[in-house]
């Protein structure tokens, strides 16, 4: 019964739905007129993970637990910084009764109730045997969104908050303030808190100054806790007084992860230096994720595992999302009635389920694949969410001009493949600033360029929209070609791309920042040298050079599982042809039967969905005829783990 006394009342009830569904709604309906305020409404499963009060959904919590995480990082990354300093996650607002917690409209664009708070985080770590890492604000909000920060005096409050957080987790319930608060919330015995990270993606002299204050106070009070700085692998580490680990983050295109499988091979081993890769994901150029991204992450992970003397910890980010709030590429997808892992989840599982104790020296010799580089074929121009006009188009073959546009007299030389194009005043025009499309040089001009090295130049002017200009070359058709894009990814970079069935993959790992201004005319030139060297020139200045010599995307590492007496071999074949190879082992004899775990897709564009959740999942079978020298074929677009039993 509701009483009009102006006081808050708490109500709860057990409801049993008649069916399982994803799009169900909970509605409050009243049979009389009136006004009331509702502050906190939550539907909770009656049976939670480990039956914890305010606990997690069992299927979701188990999906994370199945990764066998050695640790969990909370509350995360940019959300630690917040849109502003007042918008940051304050752990003290996330404990106690859920209905009394102060929620926030967070920088990811939705309201958070803080229902999964600091206490629940520590409890979940305890339940699954994972170590706990707490991340505290270092005195500044997210640089990329606001840049708000505290002054020297205000930072003292944050330092004390960090010390209080450690005390809440580890303090005695009888003798410490925050240990008593933890006991009041249902956990009298101390939790364990193994790591504290100061800040997230803060790279400045101000951060270094504030970090040193955190480091001094935390080290004095808790000498055994591991203190992590968010500074990257750079000279910036010399700015701070001390650290146990540093935390670089890596978000990039598949091409970058493939090309940087040796990233950590290059770093000198300095005494005492350890790195924690706190965030990494192939979240650019792959849509909502696919096998191409997953395998590229696997190649990068091989490099981290091979360098585990330096890279002691890693964690994928973002971990999970509710599909009603799509936010790029996450490892786990959750909806009201289900949870699934993307292909990247299963690549992670193959690493965590097959961890060696030590690495073994691995020498990889790659065979020769057919030439896949020389970009010969048709020519086209295009836009992406941009209006633009093109004129004075010229094509040269082996240094001799073979085509010069005369659109006023010969408008039929170009044919629109997609989008709304018009030819006016001697120019090709795509007038819709939200439009995306391409227009191709007709076939009678293609014979001159299909089998030769081509250079293309043109004048281009942006009329409006989000990005810049697109040049298609080496085209079989508009959906299968090479592509030069200026002002890509929100008008940020110059990039070369390989396009297959309208799926575009970025090729160059170094990307110059070149913004395309509306209303300005640019002279753009593509030069192809020695078959494989691609150059982009803008207004007579070389903006980008890319070596398109094909780099074979096949990778392997090996390690020893001492407990089980097994050699673990991990192989990635990211090519679209089978990988036929010979495995040779020195000083090893095996039992004749081993185990093979295989993950593959029919296409690098494939991904798991709720409708087809098992499209890309590991398959285990018996691996026979194991010997110290054996021939084996690995599927295209695959990751394979071999577990080979050593003879005693």
């Amino acid at each position: 019964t509701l009483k009009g006394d102006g006081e808050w009342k708490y109500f709860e009830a057990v409801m049993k739905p008649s069916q399982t569904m994803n799009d169900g709604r909970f509605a409050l309906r009243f049979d009389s007129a009136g006004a009331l305020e509702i502050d906190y409404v939550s539907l909770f499963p009656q049976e939670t993970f480990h039956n914890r009060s305010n606990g997690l959904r069992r299927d979701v919590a188990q999906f994370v637990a199945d990764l066998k995480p050695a640790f969990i990082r909370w509350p995360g990354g940019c959300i630690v910084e917040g849109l502003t300093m007042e918008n940051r996650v304050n752990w003290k607002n996330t404990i106690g009764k859920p209905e009394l917690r102060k929620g926030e409209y967070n920088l990811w664009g939705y309201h958070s109730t803080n229902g999964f708070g600091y206490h629940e985080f520590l409890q979940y770590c305890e339940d699954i045997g994972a170590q706990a890492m707490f991340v505290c604000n270092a005195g500044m909000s997210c640089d990329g969104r606001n840049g708000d920060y505290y002054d020297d005096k205000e930072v003292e409050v944050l330092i004390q908050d960090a010390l209080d957080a450690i005390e809440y987790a580890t303090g005695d319930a009888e003798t410490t303030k925050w240990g008593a608060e933890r006991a009041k919330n249902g956990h009298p015995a101390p939790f364990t808190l193994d790591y504290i990270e100061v800040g997230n993606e803060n790279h400045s002299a101000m951060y270094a100054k504030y970090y040193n204050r955190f480091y001094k106070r935390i080290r004095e009070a808790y000498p055994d806790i591991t203190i992590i700085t968010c500074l990257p692998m750079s000279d910036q580490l010399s700015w701070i007084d001390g650290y146990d680990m540093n935390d670089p983050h890596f978000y990039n295109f598949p091409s970058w992860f493939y090309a940087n499988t040796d990233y950590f091979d290059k770093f000198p081993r300095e005494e005492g230096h350890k790195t924690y890769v706190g965030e990494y994901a192939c979240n650019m150029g792959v849509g909502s994720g696919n096998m191409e991204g997953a395998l590229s992450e696997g190649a990068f992970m091989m490099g981290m595992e091979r360098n585990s003397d330096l890279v002691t910890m890693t964690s994928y980010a973002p971990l999970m999302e509710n599909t009603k709030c799509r936010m790029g590429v996450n490892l786990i997808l959750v909806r009201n009635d289900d949870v699934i892992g993307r292909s990247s989840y299963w690549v992670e599982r193959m690493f965590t389920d097959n961890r060696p104790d030590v690495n073994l020296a691995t020498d990889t010799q790659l065979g020769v694949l057919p030439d896949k580089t020389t970009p010969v074929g048709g020519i086209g121009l295009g836009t992406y969410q941009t209006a633009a006009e093109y004129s004075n188009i010229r094509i040269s073959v082996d240094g001799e001009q073979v085509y010069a546009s005369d659109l006023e007299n010969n408008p039929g030389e170009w044919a629109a493949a997609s989008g709304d194009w018009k030819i006016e005043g001697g120019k090709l025009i795509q007038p819709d600033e939200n439009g995306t499309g391409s227009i191709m040089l007709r076939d009678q001009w293609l014979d001159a360029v299909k089998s030769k090295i081509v250079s293309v130049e043109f004048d281009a002017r942006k009329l409006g929209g989000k990005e810049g200009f697109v040049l298609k070359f080496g085209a079989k058709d508009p959906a299968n070609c090479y592509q030069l894009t200026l002002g890509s990814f929100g008008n940020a970079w110059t990039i070369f791309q390989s396009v297959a069935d309208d799926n575009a993959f970025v090729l160059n790992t170094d990307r110059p920042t070149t913004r395309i201004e509306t209303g300005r005319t640019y002279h753009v030139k593509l030069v192809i040298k020695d078959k494989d060297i691609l150059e982009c020139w803008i207004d007579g200045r070389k903006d980008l050079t890319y070596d398109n010599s094909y780099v074979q995307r096949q990778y392997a590492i090996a390690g020893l599982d001492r407990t089980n007496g097994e050699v673990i071999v991990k192989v990635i074949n990211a090519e679209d042809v089978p990988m036929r190879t010979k495995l040779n082992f020195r000083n090893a004899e095996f039992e004749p039967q081993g185990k093979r775990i295989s993950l593959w897709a029919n296409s690098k564009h494939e991904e798991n969905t709720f409708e087809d959740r098992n499209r890309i999942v590991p398959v285990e079978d018996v691996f026979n005829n194991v010997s110290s020298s054996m021939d084996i074929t690995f599927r295209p677009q695959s990751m394979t783990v071999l577990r080979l039993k050593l003879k005693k």
Side-chain angles (χ1 to χ4, degrees), residues 228-448:
I228 302 170
T229 175
C230 65
L231 290 176
M233 308 284 284
S234 72
D235 292 340
Q236 292 181 11
L237 290 171
S238 64
W239 299 351
I240 60 178
D241 294 338
Y243 63 94
D244 296 311
M245 285 190 282
N246 78 306
D247 177 11
H249 295 172
F250 301 95
Y251 293 111
N252 225 301
F253 298 92
S255 58
W256 189 93
F257 283 106
Y258 284 129
N260 283 276
T261 186
D262 61 349
Y263 184 90
F264 293 102
D265 296 346
K266 305 169 186 176
F267 285 92
R269 273 25 181 193
E270 298 180 9
E271 185 176 354
H273 177 87
K274 301 295 181 185
T275 289
Y276 156 54
V277 178
E279 298 181 25
Y280 66 93
C282 178
N283 68 342
M284 298 180 182
V286 295
S288 59
N290 56 28
M291 192 61 167
E292 169 84 348
L295 292 179
S296 74
E297 292 160 357
F300 189 67
M301 291 170 70
M302 282 188 175
M304 293 192 287
E305 183 170 299
R306 184 174 58 250
N307 288 277
S308 54
D309 61 318
L310 171 65
V311 183
T312 56
M313 300 166 56
T314 70
S315 51
Y316 193 100
L319 177 64
M320 71 172 71
E321 68 169 348
N322 188 306
T323 54
K324 292 184 180 296
C325 304
R326 291 314 308 264
M327 291 165 35
V329 176
N330 286 252
L331 197 66
I332 299 169
L333 305 182
V334 179
R335 67 183 191 185
N336 292 345
D337 64 345
D338 206 353
V339 55
I340 64 168
R342 292 197 308 101
S343 52
S344 292
Y345 173 87
W346 295 108
V347 167
E348 293 280 331
R349 281 285 301 269
M350 291 181 77
F351 275 87
T352 60
D353 291 347
N354 299 281
R355 302 186 203 183
D357 298 306
V358 294
N359 290 320
L360 299 177
T362 306
D363 179 23
T364 306
Q365 297 179 2
L366 299 177
V368 178
L369 288 174
D371 176 52
K372 302 173 73 172
T373 58
T374 307
V376 294
I379 303 295
L381 294 161
T383 65
Y384 178 76
Q385 296 183 350
T386 303
E389 62 181 29
Y390 299 97
S391 59
N392 300 320
I393 307 157
R394 285 171 283 169
I395 302 173
S396 298
V397 174
D398 297 335
E400 294 186 12
Q401 184 171 291
V402 298
Y403 173 79
S405 61
D406 183 8
L407 296 170
E408 287 188 298
N409 296 313
N410 301 300
E413 293 175 351
W414 291 79
S418 59
D420 182 19
W421 291 84
K422 61 181 181 179
I423 298 175
E424 192 174 88
K427 298 176 181 179
L428 300 174
I429 303 172
Q430 197 292 104
D432 182 2
E433 65 180 28
N434 297 311
T436 297
S438 58
I439 190 166
M440 306 296 291
L441 189 61
R442 286 192 183 274
D443 287 348
Q444 66 260 35
W445 291 100
L446 298 187
D447 291 339

Side-chain angles (χ1 to χ4, degrees), residues 422-558:
K422 61 181 181 179
I423 298 175
E424 192 174 88
K427 298 176 181 179
L428 300 174
I429 303 172
Q430 197 292 104
D432 182 2
E433 65 180 28
N434 297 311
T436 297
S438 58
I439 190 166
M440 306 296 291
L441 189 61
R442 286 192 183 274
D443 287 348
Q444 66 260 35
W445 291 100
L446 298 187
D447 291 339
V449 300
K450 273 186 175 178
S451 60
K452 298 186 179 180
I453 307 305
V454 177
S455 295
V456 184
E457 56 188 307
F458 53 89
D459 293 328
R461 188 164 73 99
K462 177 178 175 179
L463 305 177
K466 296 180 179 179
E467 299 206 352
F469 315 121
V470 176
L471 168 65
K472 294 178 179 287
F473 61 102
K476 296 179 182 177
D477 54 61
N480 296 275
C481 61
Y482 284 84
Q483 195 162 276
L484 168 64
T485 305
L486 285 70
S488 65
F489 288 85
N491 204 5
W493 299 315
T494 302
I495 58 174
F496 285 109
Q497 294 168 291
S498 173
V499 183
D501 298 329
D502 269 334
N503 293 280
F505 296 90
V506 176
L507 297 172
N508 48 298
T509 57
D510 297 320
R511 291 175 291 277
T513 300
T514 305
R515 296 184 61 83
I516 302 301
E517 299 174 17
T518 299
R520 174 182 165 186
T521 298
Y522 295 82
H523 184 73
V524 180
K525 186 175 183 179
L526 165 71
V527 179
I528 305 176
K529 293 182 175 180
D530 301 324
K531 289 189 177 182
D532 299 325
I533 306 301
L534 310 181
E535 294 179 348
C536 171
W537 293 72
I538 302 176
D539 294 337
R541 171 184 57 84
K542 189 188 296 184
D543 190 53
L544 173 63
T545 300
Y546 173 66
D547 184 349
N548 194 44
S549 302
Y550 193 74
V551 178
Q552 209 159 317
R553 293 179 171 181
Q554 295 170 331
Y555 312 86
I557 56 172

Side-chain angles (χ1 to χ4, degrees), residues 45-302:
Q46 196 167 24
E47 296 180 346
T48 62
F49 188 72
H50 284 216
N51 295 314
R52 298 295 182 191
S53 175
N54 195 43
L56 297 169
R57 227 175 77 181
R58 283 185 174 182
D59 58 340
V60 176
Q62 189 61 54
F63 223 76
V64 176
D66 288 344
L67 284 166
K68 302 181 181 69
F71 69 96
I72 296 177
R73 178 180 183 240
W74 185 92
C78 292
I79 200 169
V80 171
E81 301 162 278
L83 285 164
T84 66
M85 286 302 298
E86 296 309 310
N87 184 245
R88 74 189 188 280
V89 174
N90 184 337
W91 72 267
K92 291 175 182 176
N93 291 336
T94 74
I95 60 174
K97 292 182 178 180
E99 66 271 18
L100 300 181
R101 297 178 189 180
K102 181 178 180 293
E104 291 286 354
Y105 183 84
N106 63 43
L107 86 176
W108 299 130
Y110 60 88
H111 186 270
S112 173
T113 65
N114 287 326
F116 183 77
Y118 187 44
H119 188 94
E120 288 78 25
F121 152 68
L122 293 167
Q123 184 69 76
Y124 183 54
C125 289
E126 183 177 271
D127 285 343
I128 66 174
Q131 295 178 316
M133 179 190 301
F134 172 67
V135 188
C136 63
N137 185 286
M140 53 201 70
S141 67
C142 181
D143 287 343
R145 294 175 172 85
N146 180 283
D148 186 21
Y149 61 90
Y150 275 180
D151 62 25
D152 285 356
K153 184 177 180 181
E154 292 171 308
V155 166
E156 184 62 31
V157 174
L158 299 179
I159 295 173
Q160 189 58 53
D161 273 347
L163 293 170
D164 292 346
I166 301 173
E167 183 177 285
Y168 183 93
T170 65
D172 180 77
E174 302 294 331
T175 60
T176 67
K177 172 185 175 181
W178 290 103
E181 191 69 19
R182 181 197 65 244
K184 177 183 171 183
N185 291 331
H187 200 283
F191 290 111
T192 58
L193 184 66
D194 302 275
Y195 309 94
I196 185 165
E197 181 170 6
V198 181
N200 174 76
E201 296 181 357
N202 304 125
H203 310 149
S204 65
M206 178 184 288
Y207 168 78
K209 181 177 73 170
Y210 288 174
Y211 169 87
N212 285 335
R213 291 173 59 186
F214 278 87
Y215 180 80
K216 181 176 184 293
R217 295 278 298 281
I218 295 170
R219 180 63 79 223
E220 287 174 351
Y222 299 96
D224 295 330
I225 199 168
T226 297
I227 304 174
I228 302 170
T229 175
C230 65
L231 290 176
M233 308 284 284
S234 72
D235 292 340
Q236 292 181 11
L237 290 171
S238 64
W239 299 351
I240 60 178
D241 294 338
Y243 63 94
D244 296 311
M245 285 190 282
N246 78 306
D247 177 11
H249 295 172
F250 301 95
Y251 293 111
N252 225 301
F253 298 92
S255 58
W256 189 93
F257 283 106
Y258 284 129
N260 283 276
T261 186
D262 61 349
Y263 184 90
F264 293 102
D265 296 346
K266 305 169 186 176
F267 285 92
R269 273 25 181 193
E270 298 180 9
E271 185 176 354
H273 177 87
K274 301 295 181 185
T275 289
Y276 156 54
V277 178
E279 298 181 25
Y280 66 93
C282 178
N283 68 342
M284 298 180 182
V286 295
S288 59
N290 56 28
M291 192 61 167
E292 169 84 348
L295 292 179
S296 74
E297 292 160 357
F300 189 67
M301 291 170 70
M302 282 188 175

